[in-house]
Amino acid sequence: MTTSENRFVHVDSSKCLGCRSCEIACGLSHQDLDLFSAALHGHKLEPRIVVKHSEQGPITVQCRHCEDAPCVQVCPVNALYHQAGMVTLSEETCIGCRLCSKACPFGAIRVRVKSQLEGGKAVNKAKALKCDLCISRIGAVSEEACACIQSCPVKAMKLITAAEYQHKIC
């Protein structure tokens, strides 16, 4: 694997239990919370990976860090860009226009609305929310950094490239 190839979290659906450990770990990691504090204080977690249940079993929805990412192409303020083998979001630059969410072929970008103070008034601001491969945890993209991968009780998750994914399905 070269560092120029985008990587993403792949979930082996034949192993996934649908337990949502990945969702919880993601939300806790990005909000710098532990499970006890989150539960005790009623924090609403904002995971970047979502587990959905279908007739075929659990399906995870997360950013695939596409090489030709439609979200990057439609962002009017360049808040999304390729960097270090992934699609990166600058939350400071994001204007919450939702174009990235609509352009994502996987439905992996959500938009959250947060209230913040501006000039003494509470103002609601929309911001995109997507997987960042937990790069902020250790400053590099690796399986050890990804909270979702580390939390999976059946080791159904791996960090792979698109070429590795193609090799798996062919």
Side-chain angles (χ1 to χ4, degrees):
M1 177 183 343
T2 65
T3 56
S4 63
E5 293 178 283
N6 283 6
R7 290 162 279 173
F8 64 95
V9 175
H10 170 69
V11 180
D12 182 342
S13 59
S14 68
K15 292 181 181 177
C16 180
L17 303 173
C19 67
R20 298 195 157 155
S21 292
C22 54
E23 275 187 28
I24 295 167
C26 178
L28 292 172
S29 173
H30 284 88
Q31 291 169 254
D32 200 23
L33 296 169
D34 62 76
L35 186 56
F36 180 75
S37 297
L40 182 65
H41 300 291
H43 289 283
K44 182 180 178 197
L45 297 180
E46 297 177 334
R48 284 131 172 97
I49 184 170
V50 176
V51 178
K52 297 187 175 194
H53 292 274
S54 71
E55 290 181 14
Q56 290 78 34
I59 300 169
T60 58
V61 178
Q62 74 278 349
C63 179
R64 300 293 180 98
H65 298 276
C66 305
E67 297 289 339
D68 61 344
C71 60
V72 171
Q73 296 170 19
V74 300
C75 182
V77 294
N78 299 318
L80 290 158
Y81 52 93
H82 292 276
Q83 180 183 39
M86 59 188 279
V87 174
T88 301
L89 168 68
S90 168
E91 289 189 31
E92 295 78 29
T93 306
C94 178
I95 58 173
C97 67
R98 303 174 196 269
L99 288 175
C100 57
S101 179
K102 291 176 183 170
C104 177
F106 301 102
I109 300 176
R110 295 181 298 130
V111 176
R112 65 182 164 179
V113 177
K114 293 181 92 174
S115 185
Q116 62 187 56
L117 287 177
E118 279 188 12
K121 289 184 172 180
V123 177
N124 288 332
K125 293 276 186 174
K127 298 285 181 181
L129 184 68
K130 64 171 284 307
C131 172
D132 63 358
L133 297 176
C134 293
I135 195 165
S136 61
R137 290 180 73 186
I138 61 172
V141 175
S142 71
E143 286 190 350
E144 292 75 27
C146 293
C148 58
I149 293 174
Q150 295 303 310
S151 71
C152 182
V154 294
K155 307 297 179 209
M157 307 174 93
K158 292 187 74 161
L159 192 61
I160 64 172
T161 65
E164 291 168 331
Y165 180 72
Q166 288 294 325
H167 182 72
K168 277 184 175 289
I169 62 172
C170 292

